[in-house]
């Protein structure tokens, strides 16, 4: 079970947001142990991404399909990293700490790299964000079903907010197109 928790914490998207609930609620492991294993596992890809992204990018850009995939990933990361861009290291902590899909250590590492933040500062501030996210996810996991309901409610509210923003943009675009004629 410990190895499974460790491996899940290293996966993009799942990270410790997936490994902690599984370790605590499925495997019934000690929450302190799960937290420690998940934080360590979540930080390993951070080092690899920050150290080798330039090399990987150069190699992948030689293959058209992989180039398109990386360009999409970089575009998506840049579009979601305005917080990091605006507040630099503090923004990086907050971006990584928010335990939502696509805001973890992997994306934080990409954002730090793409924005040219220094290696060791990036490591430190991503680590702080991972610790905060780990505490939040651990507390929610220890709350059992109530924690799951809270997490799902927050996700639903964020989804609805984003849907409303998209609808307003489309509505404004239609209005603007109508007034131009």
């Amino acid at each position: 079970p410990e190895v499974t928790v460790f491996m899940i914490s290293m996966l993009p998207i799942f990270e410790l947001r997936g490994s902690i609930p599984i370790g605590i609620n499925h495997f019934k492991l000690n929450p302190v142990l799960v937290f420690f294993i998940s934080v360590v596992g979540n930080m390993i890809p951070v080092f690899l991404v920050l150290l080798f992204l330039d090399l990987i990018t150069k190699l992948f850009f030689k293959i058209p399909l992989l180039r398109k995939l990386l360009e999409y990933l970089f575009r998506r990361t840049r579009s979601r990293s305005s917080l990091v861009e605006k507040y630099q290291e503090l923004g990086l902590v907050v971006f990584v700490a928010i335990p939502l899909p696509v805001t973890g250590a992997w994306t934080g590492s990409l954002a730090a790299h793409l924005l040219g933040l220094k290696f060791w500062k990036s490591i430190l501030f991503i680590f702080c964000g991972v610790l905060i996210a780990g505490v939040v996810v651990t507390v929610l996991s220890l709350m059992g079903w109530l924690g799951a309901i809270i997490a799902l409610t927050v996700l639903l509210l964020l989804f609805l907010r984003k849907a409303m923003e998209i609808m307003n943009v489309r509505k404004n675009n239609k209005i603007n197109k109508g007034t131009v004629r």
Side-chain angles (χ1 to χ4, degrees):
E2 291 87 350
V3 173
T4 302
V5 169
F6 183 77
M7 297 305 287
I8 292 170
S9 70
M10 291 174 53
L11 295 173
I13 300 171
F14 295 104
E15 302 185 27
L16 58 68
R17 291 145 181 80
S19 67
I20 290 175
I22 288 171
I24 292 173
N25 296 318
H26 178 70
F27 290 125
K28 308 294 186 208
L29 295 173
N30 178 311
V32 174
L33 176 64
V34 170
F35 177 85
F36 177 75
I37 291 170
S38 296
V39 167
V40 171
N42 202 185
M43 286 302 296
I44 288 173
V46 172
F47 283 93
L48 298 175
V49 168
L50 291 173
L51 283 173
F52 298 114
L53 188 59
D54 279 334
L55 176 65
I56 291 169
T57 302
K58 287 175 186 169
L59 292 173
F60 280 21
F61 266 44
K62 293 177 181 177
I63 303 167
L65 179 64
L66 294 177
R67 179 187 188 107
K68 286 183 181 182
L69 177 68
L70 273 182
E71 286 172 345
Y72 167 78
L73 181 63
F74 291 168
R75 237 185 351 269
R76 185 170 169 87
T77 300
R78 281 190 183 104
S79 73
R80 298 191 181 276
S81 60
S82 60
L83 182 69
V84 179
E85 196 168 7
K86 184 174 182 180
Y87 298 105
Q88 299 289 304
E89 289 88 357
L90 182 60
L92 187 58
V93 171
V94 173
F95 183 80
V96 173
I98 299 170
L100 296 171
V102 199
T103 62
W106 275 86
T107 311
S109 300
L110 284 175
H113 179 80
L114 292 173
L115 296 171
L117 301 179
K118 296 195 183 320
F119 178 83
W120 286 110
K121 275 189 171 182
S122 296
I123 294 290
L124 174 64
F125 290 104
I126 291 169
F127 179 66
C128 290
V130 166
L131 289 176
I132 294 167
V135 168
V136 170
V137 174
T138 300
V139 168
L140 289 172
S141 296
L142 290 171
M143 294 172 74
W145 283 108
L146 178 60
I149 291 168
I150 291 169
L152 287 173
T153 302
V154 169
L155 282 173
L156 179 63
L157 290 172
L158 289 170
F159 172 77
L160 290 174
R161 180 174 168 237
K162 189 64 172 179
M164 294 300 288
E165 286 175 14
I166 291 169
M167 288 172 48
N168 285 336
V169 166
R170 287 184 180 163
K171 180 180 168 184
N172 289 338
N173 285 343
K174 284 182 182 178
I175 290 170
N176 291 337
K177 285 180 183 178
T179 58
V180 173
R181 291 180 187 183

